[in-house]
Amino acid sequence: MTAPVDTSDPKQLGADTDGTQFMTFHDLAYDAGKTVFQRKAQPVGQGREGELLEVAMGPQHPSTHGVFRMDVVLDGETVVKLKPVFGYLHRNHEKIAENTSYLGSMPYTDRLDYFCSLTNNWAYALSVEKLAGLQVPERAEYIRLITAELTRVLNHTCLAGFLLQDMGALGTPLMYAFREREKILDLIESLTGARMMCNYMRFGGCRCDLPAGWLDEAKKVVAEYPKFLDEFDALLSGNEILMARTQGVGKLSAELAISAGITGPMLRASGVDYDLRKVDNYGLYSRYPFRVPLGSHGDVYDRYMIRMLEMRESLKILEPALKDIPEGPVVDPKAKLRGFRPKPGEAYGRIESPKGELGFYLISDGSPNPYRYRVRPPSLINLTILEDMCLGQTVADAIVTLGSVDIVLGEVDR
Amino acid sequence: MDDGLRNELSKQGVVVVKLEELYNWGRKNSVWPLSFGLACCAIEMMAASMARYDLARFGAEVFRPSPRQADLMIVAGTVTKKMAPQVVRLYNQMPEPKYVIAMGACAISGGPFKQGYNVLKGIDRYIPVDVHIPGCPPRPEALIHAFMTLQRKIDAQKVFGPDRAHYFDASKPSEFPVPLFGEHDLVPPKNPNVWEPAVVVR
Ligand code: SF4
């Protein structure tokens, strides 16, 4: 399904056109027929195997987003082989979780994807609720929806900043992004007491109710956010340098994306319409109409634009949700915090985290600890096809491609 | 020189400072940290250098990607046993005078992951740490406070005399052995020159 979108104006891309749920957009330059930058096909290792250079990028490297290492084999500047090396941040999350109570793992889930602790909390709470058959009161569902969408906006903002930094725009876009991040963090802090490690959701609800005046503050932030997005769009989305560095770089075909199990904005940038908020219909997402932006080229530019557009869609969910939130309890009165022992069984709960499908698989044997605890981290699975996206491109493009995957090492290595 | 005389001279336009004061004043206001993030705490380290917290006010916004150009290593995050050798190696590559801030519960002691099999129980087992910041993650204000503490320490370091700073003494080590993976754990498990287990007196 394709909705007509005026692609000549980057601001228009996120605007409502009609009632359709899905939209597609094209790169500005492709559409206007004025491709800014012609990429030459790079010859790959033609009879010059002896001159290959192997470089270990990382684990201490400013552009690998933490302690990630990629061993690249270069022919001149062209990547002919790329081997990702994980494990520099393996913190035994799953093993620790199997030795502590169900609730005891909640703070550890914060530290998986440390940009989005609230969505991690939600995914874990959701799987335990499935396991134990708990119900969530409506107000708590609203709070979950609101915090998750705020987290999505926060994550995508930071990602755009980091991506631009990887391209060499040192400082400025990231400064703008972090300025906005602080505004959302203020909200999260006044709600949960912590800026990053929230530990907020509980099985059957949330830990505490909204503080007085929180909704008004949140409404203010949400109302002002589009201004920042417009600013970002005006400065960056149509920027020639950004288009030259990202269009046609790191292409990922829809077939490969599906067969590799890619999820999240990366999959949608390749044009596959798959968003768990629509597919699973968890939480209250069915109450609020929003559209799923889809890319058409699967390159880095599409991945960047998808995130810009998703932020606008998230704001569209947030605005009415902040008005509709009803009064009531925030935690199911039947839920037990102490001595929590679900009956034997297994459950898999998943949500659309800002990075993709985040799932928790739990097996209970009736004891206070899970018998098996497994995380399905979107970052790790999205990273596995890095080599396919980078082969034949220059090493500078490999950095940009890595930046567009949106990895957080806490989640990759766990 | 006593303060009265110095005051009197400055009224006449003669400003007298000790070379040591000038040297330390310059050093403490241009500490260049190594841009080196390990885990969650690194995000707060970045937030400290961005808008709102603005570490540039303390002269420390120039994050250098190369250890050769850095004065300060902020160990921001969990040091795993796979990463510990690289951290020590980076420390060894930094030129003297160099300082270390251990940011967050993980870098201090292993933090929430202390019970895990792959997490180092504190980076101060291998390299000397100047300032510890507790917290998980510490707020950017806490990092700024650590900076100010470090600045006080730099200011107090002597250039001349018998108690001058250790890095003027060539016989004092500025590089430490890099641990390696042994059969079960890192070998050696600690550097006895910088760390000994605390003795509990009951
Ligand atoms: S101290 Fe806490 S926030 Fe910092 S790296 Fe460790 S787990 Fe992450």
Side-chain angles (χ1 to χ4, degrees):
Chain A
M1 273 184 281
T2 319
V5 177
D6 178 12
T7 48
S8 59
D9 178 5
K11 269 188 221 155
Q12 283 264 308
L13 287 172
D16 257 334
T17 46
D18 56 11
T20 44
Q21 290 200 321
F22 307 116
M23 63 181 171
T24 179
F25 64 89
H26 308 281
D27 305 356
L28 308 169
Y30 286 116
D31 250 31
K34 48 156 187 167
T35 306
V36 193
F37 183 74
Q38 285 293 338
R39 239 156 240 289
K40 283 195 222 90
Q42 305 274 354
V44 178
Q46 287 162 344
R48 290 158 53 202
E49 286 79 16
E51 294 173 33
L52 295 186
L53 176 68
E54 197 177 334
V55 185
M57 291 180 64
Q60 189 261 332
H61 188 281
S63 301
T64 52
H65 294 235
V67 283
F68 172 62
R69 179 169 127 215
M70 35 186 196
D71 286 345
V72 283
V73 180
L74 299 176
D75 174 8
E77 267 202 73
T78 313
V79 178
V80 292
K81 195 159 169 276
L82 187 150
K83 196 175 110 209
V85 183
F86 309 116
Y88 286 98
L89 195 52
H90 176 56
R91 300 193 279 196
N92 345 112
H93 173 65
E94 289 173 5
K95 199 67 205 165
I96 290 176
E98 282 162 21
N99 292 311
T100 138
S101 64
Y102 282 88
L103 189 58
S105 305
M106 187 62 88
Y108 287 99
T109 61
D110 291 335
R111 287 152 182 86
L112 276 177
D113 171 358
Y114 31 80
F115 274 109
C116 323
S117 55
L118 285 161
T119 48
N120 300 347
N121 284 178
W122 190 5
Y124 180 53
L126 196 73
S127 29
V128 176
E129 280 152 14
K130 261 192 186 172
L131 190 65
L134 292 172
Q135 295 303 317
V136 183
E138 199 181 6
R139 185 173 172 85
E141 283 282 18
Y142 265 98
I143 297 178
R144 286 181 178 191
L145 176 102
I146 290 166
T147 50
E149 290 310 310
L150 280 176
T151 307
R152 192 180 315 278
V153 172
L154 181 144
N155 178 71
H156 288 356
T157 307
C158 290
L159 173 97
F162 282 124
L163 183 60
L164 266 293
Q165 181 164 34
D166 288 349
M167 279 177 222
L170 284 178
T172 317
L174 192 59
M175 289 266 187
Y176 279 41
F178 267 67
R179 185 190 67 196
E180 299 307 310
R181 174 182 183 257
E182 293 291 342
K183 291 179 190 160
I184 297 183
L185 282 191
D186 282 350
L187 286 179
I188 292 182
E189 190 184 354
S190 65
L191 174 60
T192 69
R195 281 158 57 87
M196 285 169 68
M197 305 304 167
C198 305
N199 183 17
Y200 180 63
M201 311 269 173
R202 290 290 178 264
F203 314 135
C206 302
R207 174 155 52 89
C208 50
D209 205 348
L210 302 175
W214 192 86
L215 284 173
D216 296 327
E217 287 298 315
K219 275 178 203 158
K220 228 186 280 167
V221 170
V222 168
E224 278 175 10
Y225 219 82
K227 245 190 262 165
F228 159 71
L229 292 181
D230 290 344
E231 185 187 25
F232 226 63
D233 265 344
L235 289 174
L236 296 171
S237 299
N239 184 309
E240 251 184 60
I241 302 173
L242 183 124
M243 288 201 269
R245 280 301 305 273
T246 55
Q247 289 185 346
V249 172
K251 278 204 177 191
L252 175 64
S253 68
E255 294 74 42
L256 181 59
I258 291 172
S259 58
I262 308 298
T263 45
M266 235 178 116
L267 177 68
R268 295 193 285 275
S270 296
V272 183
D273 171 23
Y274 182 75
D275 187 328
L276 285 180
R277 291 176 291 175
K278 295 272 184 204
V279 175
D280 270 15
N281 244 334
Y282 62 96
L284 298 175
Y285 282 110
S286 50
R287 291 196 192 171
Y288 296 102
F290 66 98
R291 297 175 305 167
V292 181
L294 293 180
S296 43
H297 297 272
D299 55 7
V300 175
Y301 188 76
D302 272 11
R303 279 176 224 140
Y304 164 79
M305 280 309 283
I306 288 276
R307 279 158 181 135
M308 296 305 286
L309 297 179
E310 270 190 11
M311 278 194 265
R312 291 187 192 268
E313 296 301 317
S314 290
L315 295 177
K316 246 182 257 170
I317 302 174
L318 278 169
E319 233 170 90
L322 284 169
K323 288 200 195 89
D324 296 352
I325 178 166
E327 291 296 326
V330 291
V331 68
D332 182 6
K334 285 204 288 298
K336 263 171 56 181
L337 276 189
R338 290 185 197 286
F340 179 75
R341 287 162 187 257
K343 55 187 184 316
E346 50 189 87
Y348 178 68
R350 57 180 189 173
I351 66 164
E352 178 78 24
S353 92
K355 299 189 163 58
E357 174 184 335
L358 173 66
F360 285 82
Y361 179 63
L362 300 167
I363 301 182
S364 162
D365 56 358
S367 64
N369 310 342
Y371 172 72
R372 181 77 178 97
Y373 173 105
R374 157 93 186 136
V375 189
R376 185 225 186 261
S379 300
L380 170 68
I381 292 163
N382 291 357
L383 195 55
T384 47
I385 48 157
L386 187 64
E387 180 171 14
D388 298 86
M389 293 192 288
C390 293
L391 284 190
Q393 309 205 349
T394 60
V395 65
D397 288 346
I399 292 285
V400 178
T401 310
L402 174 69
S404 74
V405 177
D406 193 4
I407 55 166
V408 158
L409 264 293
E411 194 177 68
V412 172
D413 294 338
R414 302 190 298 293
Chain B
M1 181 189 285
D2 77 309
D3 282 347
L5 179 56
R6 200 196 281 212
N7 256 343
E8 211 41 56
L9 281 172
S10 73
K11 276 182 203 151
Q12 309 298 324
V14 182
V15 182
V16 187
V17 288
K18 283 191 255 174
L19 179 63
E20 189 176 273
E21 285 169 0
L22 195 65
Y23 175 68
N24 283 342
W25 172 80
R27 278 191 323 131
K28 81 172 189 200
N29 289 313
S30 64
V31 178
W32 287 10
L34 180 65
S35 77
F36 171 54
L38 287 171
C40 349
C41 282
I43 309 299
E44 288 297 63
M45 179 178 84
M46 273 179 239
S49 67
M50 294 286 154
R52 180 176 294 190
Y53 294 105
D54 196 13
L55 206 53
R57 291 174 293 158
F58 302 89
E61 84 283 15
V62 195
F63 278 84
R64 306 308 299 184
S66 162
R68 302 287 186 203
Q69 303 166 344
D71 309 309
L72 166 68
M73 178 187 233
I74 304 176
V75 185
T78 321
V79 187
T80 61
K81 288 182 181 161
K82 189 169 178 177
M83 194 62 201
Q86 336 288 337
V87 176
V88 179
R89 195 165 288 139
L90 283 169
Y91 178 81
N92 288 348
Q93 287 173 351
M94 282 164 57
E96 287 281 9
K98 52 189 170 184
Y99 303 93
V100 178
I101 290 180
M103 181 180 184
C106 282
I108 294 176
S109 68
F113 298 96
K114 183 163 184 159
Q115 49 177 315
Y117 50 83
N118 193 32
V119 174
L120 192 68
K121 291 162 188 63
I123 189 60
D124 52 3
R125 288 172 187 230
Y126 290 110
I127 54 178
V129 174
D130 296 282
V131 187
H132 294 83
I133 324 173
C136 181
R139 298 178 59 92
E141 290 96 329
L143 181 59
I144 291 175
H145 180 242
F147 248 99
M148 292 159 66
T149 312
L150 185 68
Q151 285 184 331
R152 274 206 293 282
K153 173 168 182 167
I154 294 176
D155 218 14
Q157 283 187 325
K158 292 269 180 295
V159 177
F160 305 103
D163 55 347
R164 61 188 192 163
H166 67 90
Y167 54 82
F168 289 110
D169 189 350
S171 65
K172 297 264 169 65
S174 77
E175 295 188 7
F176 293 101
V178 178
L180 290 172
F181 258 119
E183 204 173 332
H184 302 295
D185 204 343
L186 288 177
V187 181
K190 65 177 196 287
N191 180 354
N193 287 330
V194 295
W195 188 82
E196 281 297 340
V199 183
V200 182
V201 185
R202 288 182 207 280

